[in-house]
Amino acid sequence: MASTPYFGLRGKSLNAALIWAVIMPTYLLFGYNNGVAGGLIDLPAWVVRFPDIDTVSTTLTASQKSHNSQIQGTVVAVYTLGALFGAFSCISFGDKLGRKKTIMLGAVVTCVGSILQCSSFVLAQLIIGRLITGIGFGAISATAPNWQTECSRAGHRGFVVMLEGLFISGGLAIQAWINFGMSHTKGDVSWRFPLSFSCFFAVIVFFSMPLWPESPRWLIKKGRVEEARRVLSAFDDVPLDDPAIAQEVLEIETSLLETGKGKFRDIFRNGPARFANRAFIAAATQCFQQMCGINAIAFYQPTIFRTFLGLDDNIARILSATVFTWQTMCAPIGAFTIEKVGRRKLMIFGAAGMGMCMAIIAGATSHPADHPAVQAAIAFVYLFSLFFVTGYLGLAFLYSSEIAPLSVRTPITALSTTSTWVFNFTVVEASPPGFDTLGYKYFIIYAAINWCLILPTVYLLFPETQGLHLESVDKIFLDSKNMLQPVRVAKKLRAHATIGAEGDVQIEGKKVDENGKVVTVGSSQ
């Protein structure tokens, strides 16, 4: 007798299992890896082992401290450089291996890198370990959002994917509390254990991934339609011969016909489906997630509290851990409002709020001797975390994968995730010398970026995708002729839309007829 696939889980139970068994450990790993090294750089055992990146010893001259801060920024940021290469590599092999195998391969490489890091005795080994860890997680970060988005139902996709923000924040909180706890130990274990702990999450991802379905959209793209039908049947909890399954398969196949087979070079040309326009939006979304200033705060939070606000080391570490815990607590706000408020409004809300917080943090940290100013700076670091997790943390991954058509979803998502790591590297590399040379003025840069770049770009160029089937997003761009039109077209199409039983938005737009020609029709109800 054949075993029941997916432990007999179907429908909502199956979707929930994917979240807790794969997505949760994946994004806990994301948050953990992003923050762990920044909390170790001032540990006594770390400084003794790696004196070339010591910036805290009182015996250092100003020039030595400046030189070491630059090396320190590179060592911390080389992880993001590796992630950049890992994400970009998915352009060549991501569609060949499939979503599941790519995630599993990334988990193995991440483990290898973590082992190299935690066993380091020289700086060169630490750098190589961080690079390899980044390569592994870069592949995961470019693939997991696609897999999760393509396996989620349209009316609940935003809620499900926004949970990624909750898990990333949870990973950041875990690393902060582990770093705080280990800071009270003596010897190399104070930094070796935190660096090794990321293997725990990677091992869970590796062994859990084979147990769950492959993306039905990837299966159809590869011609494995019967497998896709079985997966869709399990996700929808309907019989295999249900008409809804045939309709969904037809919509996915039609989307592939509309947008073509898709190669990497195609994303730099527009054509009827406006691939280049969509690649820009996806890459810009991920860029904004990094350039809003979160990594200037997240990677170097203890340093900010200690250097700019004059707090002692213990209080700085406790505050850092509680900021990430607060961010985790705030993450459900975005998850529960994303399908009601929409993507655009949350991103605009986030950019406006983060710009305000950065401006006030800059002003408050310019007066470290003023006790009320210090309290205000701390309060607005917390508030910044609320705006970020609500408007950009999980939402950036969701939106960049939603905006990409199936035919080129892997290269566009890989490109957008590469954008994440490019600007992540830029911020992490620039922050130590930025803090050292500009002081509180460094925060003003991020206030300007939020208000003068992110906010107007989202308002003018990012169309609303809330509640739309992934295939329906194509219709917005098929009806658009330039970069400014998608926002207006999306509003026009949604004005004549119908709302499905599960909150999915069914819009009218362009489809492909039996002769391969694009025609305007109404969506099936």
Side-chain angles (χ1 to χ4, degrees):
M1 182 177 178
S3 60
T4 305
Y6 321 132
F7 306 101
L9 299 174
R10 296 175 65 83
K12 293 181 179 179
S13 297
L14 178 57
N15 277 279
L18 300 189
I19 294 170
W20 304 118
V22 179
I23 294 301
M24 182 176 72
T26 296
Y27 284 91
L28 286 173
L29 176 63
F30 192 131
Y32 189 91
N33 277 347
N34 258 22
V36 65
L40 305 175
I41 55 180
D42 58 355
L43 290 175
W46 176 275
V47 169
V48 170
R49 180 63 62 187
F50 308 113
D52 290 340
I53 53 177
D54 174 17
T55 60
V56 296
S57 296
T58 56
T59 58
L60 294 173
T61 65
S63 62
Q64 286 176 320
K65 185 176 180 181
S66 177
H67 175 71
N68 288 1
S69 71
Q70 292 177 352
I71 300 175
Q72 181 190 94
T74 301
V75 171
V76 174
V78 76
Y79 164 77
T80 64
L81 188 64
L84 184 160
F85 291 132
F88 200 74
S89 67
C90 289
I91 292 172
S92 61
F93 69 79
D95 258 344
K96 295 176 183 177
L97 290 179
R99 314 304 192 224
K100 289 173 60 176
K101 290 181 179 178
T102 302
I103 292 172
M104 291 172 65
L105 177 62
V108 171
V109 176
T110 299
C111 273
V112 172
S114 296
I115 292 169
L116 285 173
Q117 285 187 80
C118 70
S119 61
S120 296
F121 283 91
V122 294
L123 187 61
Q125 182 180 342
L126 179 69
I127 292 171
I128 292 170
R130 288 191 62 73
L131 182 68
I132 292 174
T133 302
I135 290 172
F137 194 78
I140 297 174
S141 67
T143 308
N146 279 351
W147 181 70
Q148 182 61 28
T149 300
E150 292 173 352
C151 291
S152 300
R153 317 318 311 149
H156 305 286
R157 186 174 61 244
F159 171 79
V160 170
V161 180
M162 282 291 282
L163 287 176
E164 294 170 2
L166 170 66
F167 301 141
I168 293 172
S169 300
L172 287 165
I174 289 170
Q175 64 81 24
W177 286 113
I178 287 178
N179 282 348
F180 172 68
M182 296 306 295
S183 70
H184 293 86
T185 63
K186 297 185 182 298
D188 283 357
V189 69
S190 63
W191 61 268
R192 293 190 189 278
F193 178 78
L195 290 178
S196 68
F197 191 75
S198 62
C199 286
F200 172 73
F201 300 117
V203 167
I204 293 175
V205 172
F206 177 80
F207 285 105
S208 179
M209 197 74 235
L211 305 175
W212 307 109
E214 180 56 276
S215 160
R217 288 169 170 83
W218 179 83
L219 291 171
I220 291 173
K221 184 178 180 181
K222 293 299 178 180
R224 295 158 61 176
V225 179
E226 284 306 310
E227 288 181 64
R229 288 170 60 86
R230 289 193 291 272
V231 171
L232 289 169
S233 171
F235 278 132
D236 292 346
D237 194 15
V238 296
L240 195 60
D241 58 355
D242 191 285
I245 299 300
Q247 176 62 27
E248 193 162 358
V249 169
L250 177 62
E251 289 178 358
I252 296 170
E253 290 176 331
T254 300
S255 176
L256 282 170
L257 282 173
E258 289 177 344
T259 57
K261 296 296 182 183
K263 297 179 181 179
F264 176 61
R265 64 175 179 269
D266 293 336
I267 68 175
F268 299 104
R269 298 192 292 257
N270 263 327
R274 301 197 60 78
F275 287 167
N277 188 171
R278 296 161 85 166
F280 166 79
I281 292 174
T285 305
Q286 298 281 36
C287 164
F288 295 162
Q289 185 198 55
Q290 303 302 315
M291 293 304 293
C292 65
I294 183 60
N295 284 310
I297 290 179
F299 272 80
Y300 301 106
Q301 215 167 84
T303 303
I304 292 170
F305 289 135
R306 189 175 54 253
T307 304
F308 287 98
L309 302 180
L311 303 176
D312 67 50
D313 184 66
N314 210 41
I315 295 297
R317 289 185 179 279
I318 292 174
L319 281 176
S320 177
T322 57
V323 168
F324 290 130
T325 305
W326 161 256
Q327 183 172 298
T328 305
M329 294 169 63
C330 293
I333 296 174
F336 284 106
T337 57
I338 185 72
E339 295 299 355
K340 296 178 181 178
V341 176
R343 282 65 163 154
R344 276 169 49 84
K345 290 179 181 177
L346 283 185
M347 284 192 276
I348 290 170
F349 168 78
M354 289 187 295
M356 175 193 69
C357 291
M358 279 296 188
I360 294 174
I361 291 170
T365 53
S366 67
H367 301 283
D370 187 334
H371 189 64
V374 170
Q375 292 179 324
I378 294 171
F380 278 92
V381 168
Y382 282 86
L383 193 58
F384 180 94
S385 294
L386 184 152
F387 285 114
F388 173 71
V389 75
T390 302
Y392 282 89
L393 184 52
L395 204 160
F397 296 106
L398 166 68
Y399 192 74
S400 60
S401 58
E402 282 183 333
I403 215 72
L406 176 59
S407 60
V408 287
R409 184 165 294 139
T410 295
I412 285 184
T413 307
L415 181 68
S416 68
T417 308
T418 300
S419 170
T420 297
W421 297 114
V422 166
F423 290 100
N424 186 301
F425 176 82
T426 301
V427 173
V428 176
E429 173 76 9
S431 289
F435 288 137
D436 190 49
T437 56
L438 296 176
Y440 72 89
K441 297 175 185 176
Y442 187 61
F443 297 110
I444 297 174
I445 295 173
Y446 296 106
I449 289 172
N450 278 288
W451 283 339
C452 302
L453 176 62
I454 299 177
L455 199 156
T457 302
V458 172
Y459 181 79
L460 294 172
L461 303 181
F462 287 23
E464 182 58 71
T465 58
Q466 175 258 324
L468 298 179
H469 290 274
L470 295 178
E471 291 68 42
S472 296
V473 177
D474 293 333
K475 300 169 188 176
I476 295 173
F477 290 91
L478 286 165
D479 285 355
S480 300
K481 302 303 179 186
N482 59 58
M483 292 186 69
L484 293 173
Q485 282 193 344
V487 172
R488 295 197 299 270
V489 169
K491 290 179 180 178
K492 182 179 178 181
L493 291 174
R494 296 174 76 88
H496 300 89
T498 57
I499 307 299
E502 295 189 357
D504 53 314
V505 179
Q506 299 171 344
I507 64 175
E508 64 178 21
K510 294 182 178 179
K511 301 288 282 184
V512 175
D513 65 13
E514 63 274 11
N515 298 316
K517 296 181 179 180
V518 178
V519 296
T520 301
V521 297
S523 291
S524 59
Q525 303 300 310

